[in-house]
């Protein structure tokens, strides 16, 4: 972890990654005073914890007074993006095999509609198709060359292209309790929102037409007179 004299560097990859996760979670970049006020209110409304506007400004280097965020503040932001605390966020970050920062486009999961389907691919030749069931929860519907199985469920707050995908509270057959899982440790994943599956066409009425024709052509059929 990038530290100086026991404290976190504000330009280090860990804090850069956390800022990117937070911006993806809230749905836009944090650039001005109104953005910081919105973020503070959103955190308080969604996870019932408080980070002041000025503290957020320091984390985003909007205020540069030399102060660094406390571990408790970083844990609040980590919980906002789906991790248990700051240490949990760092553990998942350290597990990645690359030193890339969390950059690029992605999907904010709570913006999905129920039954939206997402395709996730990563090397070597692995693919899952997951369906959103609400409240940042997914179920695996297809799995190719992956340890994940159809029917597995998990929680995920956001997905980045070209970055590892962190799954929390994974329920997998054969395991007694929920666990964490990472897709694409090397090289990251690619995610794509799949088009909605069109409804089946209305049932054809040709069978009824053919049935009527068969009756009318039957040699034993006689028109009944009243």
């Amino acid at each position: 972890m990038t530290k100086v004299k026991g404290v976190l560097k504000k330009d280090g990859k860990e804090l850069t990654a956390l800022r990117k996760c937070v911006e993806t979670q809230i749905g836009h970049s944090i650039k001005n005073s109104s953005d910081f006020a919105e973020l503070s209110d959103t955190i308080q409304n969604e996870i019932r914890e408080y980070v002041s506007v000025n503290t957020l400004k320091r984390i985003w280097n909007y205020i540069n007074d030399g102060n660094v965020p406390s571990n408790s503040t970083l844990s609040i932001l980590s919980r906002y993006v789906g991790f248990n605390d700051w240490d949990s966020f760092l553990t998942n970050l350290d597990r990645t095999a690359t030193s890339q920062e969390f950059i690029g486009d992605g999907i904010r999961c709570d913006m999905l509609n129920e039954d939206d389907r997402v395709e996730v691919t990563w090397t070597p030749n692995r693919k899952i198709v997951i369906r959103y069931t609400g409240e940042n929860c997914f179920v695996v519907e297809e799995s190719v060359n992956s340890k994940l199985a159809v029917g597995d469920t998990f929680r995920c707050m956001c997905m980045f292209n070209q970055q590892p995908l962190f799954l929390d509270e994974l329920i997998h057959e054969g395991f007694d309790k929920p666990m964490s899982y990472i897709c694409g440790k090397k090289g990251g994943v690619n995610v794509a929102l799949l088009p909605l599956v069109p409804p089946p066409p209305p049932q054809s009425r040709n069978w009824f037409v053919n049935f009527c024709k068969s009756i009318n052509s039957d040699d034993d059929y006689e028109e009944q007179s009243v």
Side-chain angles (χ1 to χ4, degrees):
M1 189 168 63
T2 309
K3 290 185 177 182
V4 174
K5 295 182 180 180
V7 298
L8 182 71
K9 271 191 175 181
K10 295 178 74 175
D11 59 350
K13 71 181 182 70
E14 297 92 349
L15 202 51
T16 300
L18 182 61
R19 287 193 293 258
K20 183 62 182 177
C21 280
V22 170
E23 290 179 350
T24 298
Q25 174 66 9
I26 201 170
H28 58 78
S29 298
I30 308 298
K31 296 180 178 179
N32 52 51
S33 294
S34 61
D35 291 334
F36 293 110
E38 177 194 2
L39 177 58
S40 179
D41 290 341
T42 300
I43 292 171
Q44 190 165 19
N45 290 336
E46 291 191 5
I47 64 172
R48 300 294 186 265
E49 297 190 77
Y50 178 71
V51 181
S52 72
V53 170
N54 282 341
T55 296
L56 293 172
K57 287 181 177 180
R58 291 187 179 95
I59 293 173
W60 264 261
N61 293 320
Y62 194 85
I63 294 177
N64 194 1
D65 57 6
N67 291 325
V68 295
S70 68
N71 197 74
S72 60
T73 296
L74 296 173
S75 288
I76 292 174
L77 293 177
S78 297
R79 283 190 285 275
Y80 175 63
V81 298
F83 295 88
N84 292 329
D85 51 31
W86 176 235
D87 287 339
S88 175
F89 182 87
L90 291 179
T91 297
N92 282 282
L93 190 63
D94 289 342
R95 286 175 183 170
T96 64
T98 68
S99 61
Q100 297 178 4
E101 295 175 353
F102 278 56
I103 57 176
D105 58 329
I107 294 175
R108 178 182 167 185
C109 297
D110 65 355
M111 295 299 291
L112 295 171
N113 297 313
E114 287 192 20
D115 293 327
D116 278 347
R117 298 164 73 243
V118 179
E119 181 183 83
V120 184
T121 57
W122 67 100
T123 58
N125 300 318
R126 309 200 191 287
K127 181 182 84 169
I128 56 172
V129 174
I130 55 179
R131 177 171 55 84
Y132 185 62
T133 59
E135 297 184 353
N136 297 317
C137 295
F138 293 84
V139 59
V140 178
E141 292 197 330
E142 298 179 29
S143 180
V144 179
N145 299 322
S146 168
K147 293 181 180 179
L148 298 172
V150 173
D152 285 356
T153 61
F154 61 87
R155 294 177 64 89
C156 179
M157 301 289 285
C158 50
M159 308 177 187
F160 295 101
N161 279 315
Q162 311 304 320
Q163 294 297 333
L165 175 62
F166 302 112
L167 312 183
D168 291 319
E169 299 179 26
L170 172 65
I171 304 296
H172 182 79
E173 186 176 359
F175 289 84
D176 295 333
K177 58 183 180 180
M179 58 183 178
S180 297
Y181 187 82
I182 305 175
C183 301
K185 292 181 182 179
K186 296 183 179 180
V189 301
N190 289 305
V191 297
L193 184 62
L194 296 177
L196 293 176
V197 178
Q203 186 176 3
S204 172
R205 296 190 177 185
N206 288 339
W207 69 271
F208 181 75
V209 174
N210 293 333
F211 176 72
C212 292
K213 286 181 179 179
S214 67
I215 292 178
N216 291 330
S217 62
D218 195 330
D219 292 338
D220 294 332
Y221 174 77
E222 293 182 1
E223 184 176 355
Q224 299 292 323
S225 57
V226 178

